[in-house]
Amino acid sequence: MSALLQVSDAHVSYGKVEAVRSVSLEVGADEIVTIIGANGAGKTTLLGAIMGVLPLKGHVSFAREDLARLEIEDRVALGLSLVPEGRELFAGMTVEDNLQLGAFRMDKARAEAGFDHVYTLFPRLKERRKQLAGTLSGGEQQMLAMGRALMGAPKLLMLDEPSLGLAPIIVAGIFEIIAQLRKDGVSVLLVEQNAKAALQVADRAYVMELGEFVLNGKAAEIATDTRVAASYLGFTTEARNHV
C-alpha cells in the first residue's frame, strides 16, 4: 500500500510549549485512519499543522509532494482538505453558497459535478440548499461542513471531531458517510473522541497521549487492547467478553 500522506518526526509548538512531539504517521490510498485520545492530547493541533494552519517541524509529504513550502490553498489544490472542529461555516450564507466556496478552484463543470456528488451523499442538504447555514441543526451543519470540503474533490479528507455534540442517530449517519467515502476513493484521517465508533469504521488507528503516539496498529487490534478499552471505550476487555 502506497502512502498518500506521510508525516515523519513532527513537532508542533505554541511558543515554548511543545504540543506535538516526534509524531510519525501514514495514511494510504482508500484508507481510513483514526487518531483517538483525550482532550488536549494534541490531535487537533496535528491536523492543523498538516493543513498548514500551524507551523510544523519535521517532514510532511502528500501525494509525493513536500508540503513544507506550500500554502494552505496549494495543499487544497493537491487534494488535501480539513473539516475543522466547530465546522466554521458562514452562518449568514445559504447552504448552496457555502458549498460553492468549497469549489473555488473548480471550473463550472467540475463544480456542478461536486454539487451532484454532495447532494447524493447528503440529500438533506439539497432540500435545504436555499436555507441559511446558521439555521440548520447541528447534524445538518456537520453535513454541510463535510460537503463543502468534498466540493474540492479531495484525495484525503481530514475530519476533526465530526460527531461532537450530535445525537446518536445522527452520529451513525455521519459514520456511514465516512465509510462510503472510502468506497468512493477518498482517504480519511479521522480525529474522534467517540473511540468506539472510530475504531469500528477505521482500518488503522493511532492512540495519542500528551502530544505523542503511544500505540498504533490495525483498528480491530487496537480496540481489543486492554489500555484502550479501559481508557477510551469505558470497559475492560474482560468485562466486554461477558456482555
Side-chain angles (χ1 to χ4, degrees):
M1 178 184 64
S2 60
L4 180 62
L5 173 72
Q6 283 188 310
V7 179
S8 302
D9 194 27
H11 296 254
V12 186
S13 299
Y14 295 99
K16 295 182 179 180
V17 178
E18 195 171 37
V20 173
R21 297 184 297 277
S22 302
V23 161
S24 297
L25 69 81
E26 291 187 355
V27 181
D30 303 334
E31 186 180 37
I32 299 175
V33 175
T34 187
I35 305 172
I36 62 173
N39 277 333
K43 307 183 302 297
T44 293
T45 296
L46 178 59
L47 292 193
I50 293 170
M51 197 68 232
V53 177
L54 298 167
L56 178 147
K57 293 181 180 179
H59 178 74
V60 181
S61 65
F62 178 74
R64 299 184 179 180
E65 293 281 346
D66 187 348
L67 298 186
R69 297 183 179 180
L70 296 186
E71 300 295 332
I72 294 173
E73 307 85 60
D74 298 318
R75 300 181 193 210
V76 172
L78 274 178
L80 181 63
S81 192
L82 169 65
V83 179
E85 181 182 354
R87 297 146 196 164
E88 297 183 8
L89 300 171
F90 291 92
M93 295 173 63
T94 66
V95 166
E96 192 169 77
D97 286 342
N98 270 273
L99 290 175
Q100 185 67 56
L101 288 173
F104 72 99
R105 284 183 172 267
M106 300 295 184
D107 58 30
K108 184 177 180 180
R110 294 183 69 192
E112 289 179 353
F115 276 112
D116 289 343
H117 181 220
V118 169
Y119 287 152
T120 298
L121 283 174
F122 304 107
R124 196 174 302 180
L125 293 182
K126 186 174 184 179
E127 296 170 5
R128 288 158 171 70
R129 62 187 180 277
K130 299 301 182 183
Q131 190 170 326
L132 295 181
T135 66
L136 300 176
S137 68
E140 291 165 348
Q141 289 187 8
Q142 184 61 49
M143 294 175 194
L144 180 54
M146 293 174 65
R148 182 178 61 185
L150 290 170
M151 288 292 293
K155 298 173 184 175
L156 172 62
L157 185 65
M158 299 192 294
L159 297 170
D160 193 0
E161 304 289 1
S163 76
L164 189 65
L166 303 182
I169 190 170
I170 302 299
V171 172
I174 293 295
F175 275 90
E176 287 178 5
I177 294 298
I178 292 172
Q180 181 61 45
L181 290 176
R182 174 176 49 197
K183 295 178 182 178
D184 293 342
V186 180
S187 297
V188 177
L189 178 56
L190 171 66
V191 160
E192 181 58 63
Q193 285 195 57
N194 185 339
K196 182 178 180 181
L199 291 170
Q200 286 176 341
V201 75
D203 299 295
R204 293 186 301 107
Y206 295 82
V207 181
M208 195 171 202
E209 294 181 0
L210 300 176
E212 298 177 305
F213 289 151
V214 296
L215 193 64
N216 71 84
K218 293 182 179 179
E221 295 173 356
I222 296 293
T224 62
D225 185 275
T226 55
R227 294 165 294 175
V228 173
S231 299
Y232 303 109
L233 303 182
F235 46 69
T236 64
T237 53
E238 289 80 3
R240 180 177 55 196
N241 290 336
H242 290 85
V243 173

